């Protein structure tokens, strides 16, 4: 393995590094690309240098020069181009709560530790290793392969994928399918091993809830049912109560595929989630699925900030609550506000939409059989299933160009891997070394076959 004493190694040889996704990941982790502020330039520059050494055409494009995006292309055959996209920025990490420093890329017990190991520098290492292998190894490609590594995904994508799609759509002309986050990880359930492939995702919606009440005045005077009290009740409602259940086609496909692959009685429990009268009672029964079914069957909303008052001697007339929501496919902000209004009845709350990113259109499943075939060969005991993701990804931006993204970063996680996935955006984020090699190989195999989609 090459020397790993620093994040930028001038003697890195792409002919060797494509065989070493672990080494690639460790290098990427050592660039602190915490967003905000991002500071992705050094990391992107390192990747550009690798690709240039491999004689791959690259371009750097930026809305903010300090935060560039990289687009590279390898020519192939006559099939429509395939896009690989990922982000190099990461969320913050408080080293006080980590077993190992979050930006060192420590190896321990077969794992690479560090911020971004799962979200998503590990995925970038897989994509980059497969991309380099295709070039260095002269892999026959059905069509061109485009690699887009972007900034700013963790803060909304305005300087990353959104900028590329709006300002440089010509770079993605003719692309029908893309590979990106988040899917392909092994999910152990009922003694079986599933590989959910993301084909759809929820939608981002940010709102402001303004809670109002009459009777603002001096803090020495008694007051009941004021804006502060009503805000407390609103937050309590959001914590205790749930919005209505909706069984969308994407969620039905995922849960039905799980139920079909599961033994009795677990399969029957999952199947009950699809019955409109039994769904509420069945939610939470399969403990190994955790909160996932709940997230896939409802619009969800969480409070992320509260602001009000300012004068310690005065009672405010209004309090503002910031809300972060994820909408199911086919639903819009008006649907969410109607559901929230029912939840906050009699609290005098005004809901305003601050941002809404529509999700992709109904899924184009044409490439799914290719991806399923790759996974079945890589792990004959695994069961691929289509996944509706509970979060949002850059797929929502590329969808504006008619591109269907599949969340396909395969990881053969061990039993208990669901707990490992919870370290994303948390302390002690890490990924098995074996999973990196598994994913890089599966993606490279996809590059050989995508023309059949």
């Amino acid at each position: 393995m090459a020397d790993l004493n620093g994040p930028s190694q001038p003697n890195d040889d792409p002919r060797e590094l494509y065989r070493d996704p672990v080494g690639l990941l460790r290098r990427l982790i050592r660039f602190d690309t915490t967003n905000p502020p991002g500071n992705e330039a050094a990391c992107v520059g390192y990747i550009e240098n690798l690709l240039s050494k491999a004689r791959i055409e690259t371009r750097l494009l930026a809305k903010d020069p300090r935060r560039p995006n990289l687009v590279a292309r390898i020519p192939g055959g006559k099939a429509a181009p395939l896009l690989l996209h990922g982000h190099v920025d990461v969320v913050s990490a408080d080293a006080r709560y980590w077993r190992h420093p979050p930006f060192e890329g420590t190896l321990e017990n077969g794992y690479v530790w560090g911020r971004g190991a799962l979200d998503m520098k590990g995925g970038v290492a897989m994509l980059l290793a497969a991309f380099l292998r295709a070039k260095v190894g002269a892999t026959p490609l059905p069509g061109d392969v485009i690699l887009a590594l972007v900034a700013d995904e963790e803060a909304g994508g305005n300087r990353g994928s959104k900028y590329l799609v709006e300002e440089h759509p010509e770079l993605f002309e003719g692309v029908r399918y893309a590979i990106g986050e988040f899917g392909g990880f092994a999910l152990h359930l009922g003694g079986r091993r599933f590989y959910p492939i993301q084909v759809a995702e929820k939608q981002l919606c940010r709102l402001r809830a303004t809670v109002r009440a009459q009777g603002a005045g001096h803090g020495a005077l008694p007051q009941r049912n004021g804006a502060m009290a009503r805000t407390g009740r609103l937050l309590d409602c959001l914590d205790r109560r749930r919005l209505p259940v909706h069984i969308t086609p994407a969620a039905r496909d995922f849960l039905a595929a799980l139920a079909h692959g599961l033994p009795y009685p677990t399969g029957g429990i999952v199947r009950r989630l699809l019955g409109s009268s039994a769904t509420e009672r069945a939610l939470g029964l399969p403990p190994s699925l955790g909160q996932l079914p709940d997230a896939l069957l409802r619009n969800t909303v969480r409070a992320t900030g509260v602001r009000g008052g300012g004068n310690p001697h005065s009672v405010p007339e209004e309090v503002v609550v910031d809300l972060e929501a994820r909408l199911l496919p086919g639903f819009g902000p008006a649907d969410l506000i109607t559901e929230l209004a029912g939840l906050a009845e009699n609290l005098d709350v005004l809901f305003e939409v601050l941002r809404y990113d529509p999700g992709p259109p109904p899924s184009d499943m044409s490439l799914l059989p290719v991806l399923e075939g790759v996974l079945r060969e890589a792990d004959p005991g695994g069961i691929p299933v289509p996944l509706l993701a509970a979060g949002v990804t850059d797929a929502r931006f590329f969808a504006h160009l008619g591109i269907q993204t599949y969340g396909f970063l395969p990881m053969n996680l061990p039993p208990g891997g669901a707990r490992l996935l919870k370290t994303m955006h948390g302390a002690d984020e890490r990924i098995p070394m074996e999973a990196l090699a598994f994913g890089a190989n599966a993606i490279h195999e996809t590059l050989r076959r995508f023309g059949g989609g």
Side-chain angles (χ1 to χ4, degrees):
M1 184 179 294
D3 179 30
L4 294 173
N5 291 326
S8 181
Q9 299 292 330
N11 295 320
D12 283 339
D13 186 344
R15 293 172 298 180
E16 299 300 326
L17 268 182
Y18 84 75
R19 300 186 178 95
D20 184 19
V22 170
L24 273 173
L25 175 56
R26 296 182 73 193
R27 286 160 169 79
L28 297 177
I29 286 174
R30 289 172 179 174
F31 293 97
D32 184 349
T33 54
T34 301
N35 187 11
N39 291 330
E40 298 97 342
C43 184
V44 170
Y46 167 76
I47 295 170
E48 182 194 30
N49 184 51
L50 276 183
L51 297 177
S52 297
K53 286 182 178 180
R55 299 184 178 180
I56 296 174
E57 172 193 347
T58 64
R59 290 186 64 183
L60 295 183
L61 305 118
K63 184 174 184 178
D64 178 342
R66 298 165 298 181
R67 310 191 64 184
N69 306 285
L70 180 147
V71 179
R73 180 184 289 257
I74 301 175
K78 296 182 179 180
L82 177 71
L83 171 64
L84 312 177
H85 64 81
H87 63 91
V88 299
D89 62 317
V90 298
V91 298
S92 61
D94 189 335
R96 294 175 298 173
Y97 304 107
W98 284 66
R99 178 171 175 174
H100 300 289
F103 295 104
E104 284 194 2
T106 302
L107 285 182
E108 182 183 74
N109 297 330
Y111 286 80
V112 182
W113 297 64
R115 175 57 82 224
L118 290 166
D119 186 13
M120 77 162 285
K121 287 182 177 176
V124 169
M126 295 178 198
L127 295 171
L128 189 53
F131 192 69
L132 285 170
R133 182 178 174 184
K135 174 63 175 181
V136 174
T139 301
L141 300 173
D144 290 4
V145 177
I146 302 167
L147 176 68
L149 299 179
V150 304
D152 199 35
E153 191 273 347
E154 296 291 2
N158 291 346
R159 297 173 180 84
S161 294
K162 187 172 189 289
Y163 161 75
L164 290 180
V165 165
E166 291 178 351
E167 301 297 328
H168 298 280
E170 71 282 355
L171 296 175
F172 311 104
E173 185 175 353
V175 176
R176 292 180 57 197
Y177 307 119
I179 300 298
E181 60 176 354
F182 168 75
F185 54 90
L187 174 65
H188 295 260
L189 183 64
R192 307 287 168 84
R193 191 167 53 257
F194 296 89
Y195 285 93
I197 301 171
Q198 179 180 321
V199 298
E201 64 183 49
K202 295 179 83 173
Q203 307 168 88
L204 172 69
C205 188
R206 290 180 179 145
L207 305 97
R208 175 191 296 129
T210 303
V211 185
R212 295 173 175 162
Q214 297 295 323
H218 200 286
L221 299 176
Q223 185 188 53
R224 298 289 182 270
N225 199 33
M228 286 293 192
R230 293 183 182 186
T231 300
R233 292 202 294 275
L234 172 64
L235 294 174
D236 185 58
C237 283
L238 293 173
D239 182 63
R240 290 187 301 104
R241 299 175 62 185
R242 299 291 182 268
L243 298 179
V245 165
H246 305 284
I247 303 174
T248 61
R252 180 179 294 278
D253 289 346
F254 170 58
L255 293 171
L258 280 185
H260 180 74
L262 285 167
Y264 177 86
T266 311
I269 294 173
V270 173
R271 198 169 284 110
R272 286 175 61 189
L273 293 170
L274 299 174
S276 56
S277 61
T279 301
E280 285 284 5
R281 294 192 299 274
L283 278 168
L285 287 179
S288 49
L289 274 176
Q291 298 175 315
L292 183 59
D294 206 38
L296 300 188
L297 295 173
R298 307 181 197 272
N299 298 313
T300 55
V301 61
R302 299 185 69 178
T304 56
V306 179
R307 302 183 302 281
N311 187 327
H313 303 297
S314 299
V315 176
E317 283 189 331
E318 67 178 39
V319 178
V320 172
V321 180
D322 298 320
L323 300 175
E324 183 87 356
R326 297 294 182 268
L327 307 185
L328 293 166
F331 288 76
D335 303 306
L336 176 65
I337 289 175
T338 298
E339 294 183 355
L340 287 172
L343 200 71
E345 191 175 5
N346 300 323
L347 292 180
D348 193 14
V349 182
L350 172 66
F351 295 101
E352 303 171 83
V353 177
L354 302 181
R355 176 171 179 169
Y356 170 55
D357 289 353
S363 304
D364 177 350
M365 308 287 269
S366 303
L367 190 63
L368 186 62
V370 174
L371 305 181
E372 291 175 332
V374 167
L375 279 174
R376 288 193 182 100
E377 290 186 17
D379 182 357
I383 305 171
V385 294
L387 172 68
L388 165 64
V392 300
T393 73
D394 279 339
R396 67 192 190 276
F397 300 124
F398 290 107
H400 293 304
L401 302 179
I403 298 172
Q404 165 71 48
T405 293
Y406 295 85
F408 189 71
L409 302 175
M411 293 179 278
N412 55 339
L413 299 178
R419 292 192 298 272
L420 189 66
L421 294 175
K422 291 181 180 179
T423 65
M424 288 191 298
H425 290 211
D428 291 339
E429 184 178 357
R430 59 197 183 275
I431 187 172
M433 296 168 60
E434 181 185 353
L436 284 166
F438 180 88
N441 288 335
I443 293 169
H444 178 259
E445 190 60 29
T446 301
L447 299 188
R448 294 180 58 250
R449 305 186 189 186
F450 70 85

